[in-house]
Structure formats: structure tokens, C-alpha cells
Amino acid sequence: MTDEQPPAEPPKPAEPSGVDLARVALRAAKEQARARGDAAQQKRQARRGGGLRSGARADGRDPMAFGAAINRLITERGWEAPAAVGGVMGRWPEIVGEDLAKHCEPEKYDEDERVLVVRCDSTAWATNLRLLAPQLVARLNEDLGHGAVKLIKVNGPSGPARRYGPLRAPGSTGPGDTYG
């Protein structure tokens, strides 16, 4: 008798939620409908005695406005959430207030974890932002949609590079209160 255990399975990637699945399904349905419409139009044109022709009516080959092209690209690639968060980063002073925006700025957004990382210029402002974080998460989710931001990770200021030399006391940490 041997006590053999099956090999451990690798962890499964996080499955998309219902809203994400709905977005993907809607995007796929729109692409299929667009493809069916294009194919039907090409059939009609072929029956009339020619391939693709330019005409008086708009079709998929016509130039489009830059904003419309960008919106189409964002929708086709599924970049709605990152683009919305980028817009929030641009409107940061409006969302958190001028005073807080002077001392704290968003650094990055992790789409998989739904975490917004914010850096503050002092430990006092970092503590203040940590206290306001639940209210900010609620406000951001009102703008972006429910669950777009689950957590705000607040980083304090980064300290200066440690200098080593003859005038340093061994084991000293430097000005830890200001940069810790």
C-alpha cells in the first residue's frame, strides 16, 4: 500500500465576474452583427455588378473623427475600465479636493486586483488619506461603476538613498520619522 497523492493542480486564474462576462458577450454579438451586415452589403454590391465601391452613403471605409476612432478602439479592446480610471486620475483634484490633491497623487491602477495606488508627500497626509480611503472608494465607484476600485493603497514618501561613509553611525536608520 502506498499513499500516493495526486499532483497539486496549479492555481486557476480569477474567473471574470458577471458584468465582465456580459461586456464580452455584448462585444462579441456586436462584432458578429457588424460582420453579418458587412457580408450582406458586399453580396448586394456584387449582384449590382461590382465589388466594393465608394458611394454617397457612409460605410466602414469612410474616415471618422479621432474621438470616435479612439472610443471604438477602447470598446473593441475591452479597455473601458482602465480608460475610466485614467480619466479619474486626470480629474483627481476635482474628486478629492484641491488641498488633498496638492499632497497626494495617484500612481497606478492594478486592474486585476482593482487597487488604486496613491503616493503622498508626507506621512501626515498619508495618514489623512488612509482615514478617508473608504469614502474615496465609494466616490470612485459611483463614478466608475460598482466594484471598479476595491482598495486604495496609500504609500508615504520615499526616503533619500542611504548614504554610507565615515560619518555615519553604524546601525542608524536616519530620519525615520519624516520618511517612514
Side-chain angles (χ1 to χ4, degrees), residues 41 45 48 51-63:
Q41 183 179 4
Q45 285 180 348
R48 284 188 271 162
L52 292 175
R53 287 190 229 158
S54 179
R57 293 189 190 93
D59 65 5
R61 299 172 296 146
D62 288 341

PDB file of all heavy atoms in Angstrom, residues 41 45 48 51-63:
ATOM      1  N   GLN A  41     -23.963  43.459 -47.266  1.00  0.00           N
ATOM      2  CA  GLN A  41     -23.749  44.615 -48.131  1.00  0.00           C
ATOM      3  C   GLN A  41     -22.840  44.248 -49.305  1.00  0.00           C
ATOM      4  O   GLN A  41     -23.083  44.657 -50.437  1.00  0.00           O
ATOM      5  CB  GLN A  41     -23.137  45.762 -47.327  1.00  0.00           C
ATOM      6  CG  GLN A  41     -22.948  47.028 -48.145  1.00  0.00           C
ATOM      7  CD  GLN A  41     -22.370  48.168 -47.318  1.00  0.00           C
ATOM      8  OE1 GLN A  41     -22.045  48.002 -46.158  1.00  0.00           O
ATOM      9  NE2 GLN A  41     -22.254  49.322 -47.927  1.00  0.00           N
ATOM     10  N   GLN A  45     -23.757  44.484 -53.336  1.00  0.00           N
ATOM     11  CA  GLN A  45     -22.919  45.212 -54.288  1.00  0.00           C
ATOM     12  C   GLN A  45     -22.421  44.293 -55.386  1.00  0.00           C
ATOM     13  O   GLN A  45     -22.324  44.699 -56.543  1.00  0.00           O
ATOM     14  CB  GLN A  45     -21.742  45.866 -53.565  1.00  0.00           C
ATOM     15  CG  GLN A  45     -22.141  47.089 -52.772  1.00  0.00           C
ATOM     16  CD  GLN A  45     -20.957  47.736 -52.062  1.00  0.00           C
ATOM     17  OE1 GLN A  45     -19.887  47.147 -51.989  1.00  0.00           O
ATOM     18  NE2 GLN A  45     -21.182  48.929 -51.541  1.00  0.00           N
ATOM     19  N   ARG A  48     -24.980  43.830 -58.014  1.00  0.00           N
ATOM     20  CA  ARG A  48     -25.179  45.010 -58.853  1.00  0.00           C
ATOM     21  C   ARG A  48     -24.046  45.199 -59.850  1.00  0.00           C
ATOM     22  O   ARG A  48     -24.006  46.190 -60.549  1.00  0.00           O
ATOM     23  CB  ARG A  48     -25.323  46.247 -57.984  1.00  0.00           C
ATOM     24  CG  ARG A  48     -26.693  46.326 -57.334  1.00  0.00           C
ATOM     25  CD  ARG A  48     -26.871  47.637 -56.640  1.00  0.00           C
ATOM     26  NE  ARG A  48     -26.374  47.438 -55.265  1.00  0.00           N
ATOM     27  CZ  ARG A  48     -26.038  48.403 -54.438  1.00  0.00           C
ATOM     28  NH1 ARG A  48     -26.097  49.648 -54.819  1.00  0.00           N
ATOM     29  NH2 ARG A  48     -25.631  48.140 -53.223  1.00  0.00           N
ATOM     30  N   GLY A  51     -17.474  45.080 -57.149  1.00  0.00           N
ATOM     31  CA  GLY A  51     -17.019  44.859 -55.777  1.00  0.00           C
ATOM     32  C   GLY A  51     -17.331  46.071 -54.926  1.00  0.00           C
ATOM     33  O   GLY A  51     -18.306  46.776 -55.154  1.00  0.00           O
ATOM     34  N   LEU A  52     -16.479  46.326 -53.980  1.00  0.00           N
ATOM     35  CA  LEU A  52     -16.680  47.469 -53.094  1.00  0.00           C
ATOM     36  C   LEU A  52     -16.529  48.765 -53.880  1.00  0.00           C
ATOM     37  O   LEU A  52     -15.587  48.940 -54.644  1.00  0.00           O
ATOM     38  CB  LEU A  52     -15.656  47.438 -51.960  1.00  0.00           C
ATOM     39  CG  LEU A  52     -15.817  46.310 -50.952  1.00  0.00           C
ATOM     40  CD1 LEU A  52     -14.662  46.342 -49.951  1.00  0.00           C
ATOM     41  CD2 LEU A  52     -17.128  46.438 -50.215  1.00  0.00           C
ATOM     42  N   ARG A  53     -17.471  49.639 -53.680  1.00  0.00           N
ATOM     43  CA  ARG A  53     -17.415  50.947 -54.330  1.00  0.00           C
ATOM     44  C   ARG A  53     -17.683  52.019 -53.298  1.00  0.00           C
ATOM     45  O   ARG A  53     -18.384  51.788 -52.324  1.00  0.00           O
ATOM     46  CB  ARG A  53     -18.513  51.047 -55.391  1.00  0.00           C
ATOM     47  CG  ARG A  53     -18.252  50.238 -56.599  1.00  0.00           C
ATOM     48  CD  ARG A  53     -19.262  50.624 -57.638  1.00  0.00           C
ATOM     49  NE  ARG A  53     -19.824  49.393 -58.167  1.00  0.00           N
ATOM     50  CZ  ARG A  53     -20.974  49.309 -58.768  1.00  0.00           C
ATOM     51  NH1 ARG A  53     -21.724  50.368 -58.908  1.00  0.00           N
ATOM     52  NH2 ARG A  53     -21.391  48.174 -59.239  1.00  0.00           N
ATOM     53  N   SER A  54     -17.157  53.145 -53.588  1.00  0.00           N
ATOM     54  CA  SER A  54     -17.454  54.285 -52.736  1.00  0.00           C
ATOM     55  C   SER A  54     -18.774  54.875 -53.210  1.00  0.00           C
ATOM     56  O   SER A  54     -19.059  54.922 -54.400  1.00  0.00           O
ATOM     57  CB  SER A  54     -16.335  55.318 -52.843  1.00  0.00           C
ATOM     58  OG  SER A  54     -16.638  56.410 -52.034  1.00  0.00           O
ATOM     59  N   GLY A  55     -19.566  55.312 -52.299  1.00  0.00           N
ATOM     60  CA  GLY A  55     -20.860  55.864 -52.679  1.00  0.00           C
ATOM     61  C   GLY A  55     -21.205  57.069 -51.829  1.00  0.00           C
ATOM     62  O   GLY A  55     -20.398  57.576 -51.047  1.00  0.00           O
ATOM     63  N   ALA A  56     -22.430  57.513 -51.985  1.00  0.00           N
ATOM     64  CA  ALA A  56     -22.889  58.693 -51.264  1.00  0.00           C
ATOM     65  C   ALA A  56     -23.188  58.376 -49.805  1.00  0.00           C
ATOM     66  O   ALA A  56     -23.184  59.263 -48.963  1.00  0.00           O
ATOM     67  CB  ALA A  56     -24.149  59.247 -51.928  1.00  0.00           C
ATOM     68  N   ARG A  57     -23.445  57.130 -49.499  1.00  0.00           N
ATOM     69  CA  ARG A  57     -23.786  56.767 -48.123  1.00  0.00           C
ATOM     70  C   ARG A  57     -22.530  56.359 -47.358  1.00  0.00           C
ATOM     71  O   ARG A  57     -21.548  55.904 -47.936  1.00  0.00           O
ATOM     72  CB  ARG A  57     -24.776  55.610 -48.129  1.00  0.00           C
ATOM     73  CG  ARG A  57     -26.113  56.038 -48.695  1.00  0.00           C
ATOM     74  CD  ARG A  57     -27.143  54.945 -48.502  1.00  0.00           C
ATOM     75  NE  ARG A  57     -28.336  55.254 -49.252  1.00  0.00           N
ATOM     76  CZ  ARG A  57     -28.570  54.838 -50.477  1.00  0.00           C
ATOM     77  NH1 ARG A  57     -27.701  54.076 -51.101  1.00  0.00           N
ATOM     78  NH2 ARG A  57     -29.679  55.165 -51.092  1.00  0.00           N
ATOM     79  N   ALA A  58     -22.601  56.509 -46.043  1.00  0.00           N
ATOM     80  CA  ALA A  58     -21.473  56.166 -45.191  1.00  0.00           C
ATOM     81  C   ALA A  58     -21.307  54.650 -45.127  1.00  0.00           C
ATOM     82  O   ALA A  58     -22.291  53.904 -45.127  1.00  0.00           O
ATOM     83  CB  ALA A  58     -21.706  56.704 -43.785  1.00  0.00           C
ATOM     84  N   ASP A  59     -20.070  54.204 -45.125  1.00  0.00           N
ATOM     85  CA  ASP A  59     -19.789  52.792 -44.903  1.00  0.00           C
ATOM     86  C   ASP A  59     -18.552  52.682 -44.015  1.00  0.00           C
ATOM     87  O   ASP A  59     -18.021  53.681 -43.543  1.00  0.00           O
ATOM     88  CB  ASP A  59     -19.622  52.029 -46.226  1.00  0.00           C
ATOM     89  CG  ASP A  59     -18.427  52.468 -47.049  1.00  0.00           C
ATOM     90  OD1 ASP A  59     -17.648  53.309 -46.556  1.00  0.00           O
ATOM     91  OD2 ASP A  59     -18.278  51.976 -48.164  1.00  0.00           O
ATOM     92  N   GLY A  60     -18.073  51.470 -43.772  1.00  0.00           N
ATOM     93  CA  GLY A  60     -16.982  51.241 -42.840  1.00  0.00           C
ATOM     94  C   GLY A  60     -15.647  51.778 -43.292  1.00  0.00           C
ATOM     95  O   GLY A  60     -14.699  51.834 -42.509  1.00  0.00           O
ATOM     96  N   ARG A  61     -15.526  52.182 -44.567  1.00  0.00           N
ATOM     97  CA  ARG A  61     -14.254  52.675 -45.081  1.00  0.00           C
ATOM     98  C   ARG A  61     -14.110  54.183 -44.984  1.00  0.00           C
ATOM     99  O   ARG A  61     -13.057  54.721 -45.273  1.00  0.00           O
ATOM    100  CB  ARG A  61     -14.091  52.242 -46.540  1.00  0.00           C
ATOM    101  CG  ARG A  61     -14.084  50.734 -46.699  1.00  0.00           C
ATOM    102  CD  ARG A  61     -14.111  50.343 -48.145  1.00  0.00           C
ATOM    103  NE  ARG A  61     -15.373  50.786 -48.740  1.00  0.00           N
ATOM    104  CZ  ARG A  61     -15.503  51.199 -50.002  1.00  0.00           C
ATOM    105  NH1 ARG A  61     -14.466  51.210 -50.791  1.00  0.00           N
ATOM    106  NH2 ARG A  61     -16.665  51.571 -50.468  1.00  0.00           N
ATOM    107  N   ASP A  62     -15.154  54.863 -44.619  1.00  0.00           N
ATOM    108  CA  ASP A  62     -15.095  56.321 -44.548  1.00  0.00           C
ATOM    109  C   ASP A  62     -14.233  56.771 -43.371  1.00  0.00           C
ATOM    110  O   ASP A  62     -14.142  56.093 -42.349  1.00  0.00           O
ATOM    111  CB  ASP A  62     -16.502  56.899 -44.372  1.00  0.00           C
ATOM    112  CG  ASP A  62     -17.327  56.773 -45.636  1.00  0.00           C
ATOM    113  OD1 ASP A  62     -16.723  56.590 -46.708  1.00  0.00           O
ATOM    114  OD2 ASP A  62     -18.562  56.843 -45.537  1.00  0.00           O
ATOM    115  N   PRO A  63     -13.599  57.948 -43.508  1.00  0.00           N
ATOM    116  CA  PRO A  63     -12.827  58.481 -42.381  1.00  0.00           C
ATOM    117  C   PRO A  63     -13.763  58.810 -41.223  1.00  0.00           C
ATOM    118  O   PRO A  63     -14.944  59.095 -41.421  1.00  0.00           O
ATOM    119  CB  PRO A  63     -12.185  59.747 -42.934  1.00  0.00           C
ATOM    120  CG  PRO A  63     -12.676  59.934 -44.310  1.00  0.00           C
ATOM    121  CD  PRO A  63     -13.540  58.789 -44.685  1.00  0.00           C
TER     122      PRO A  63
END
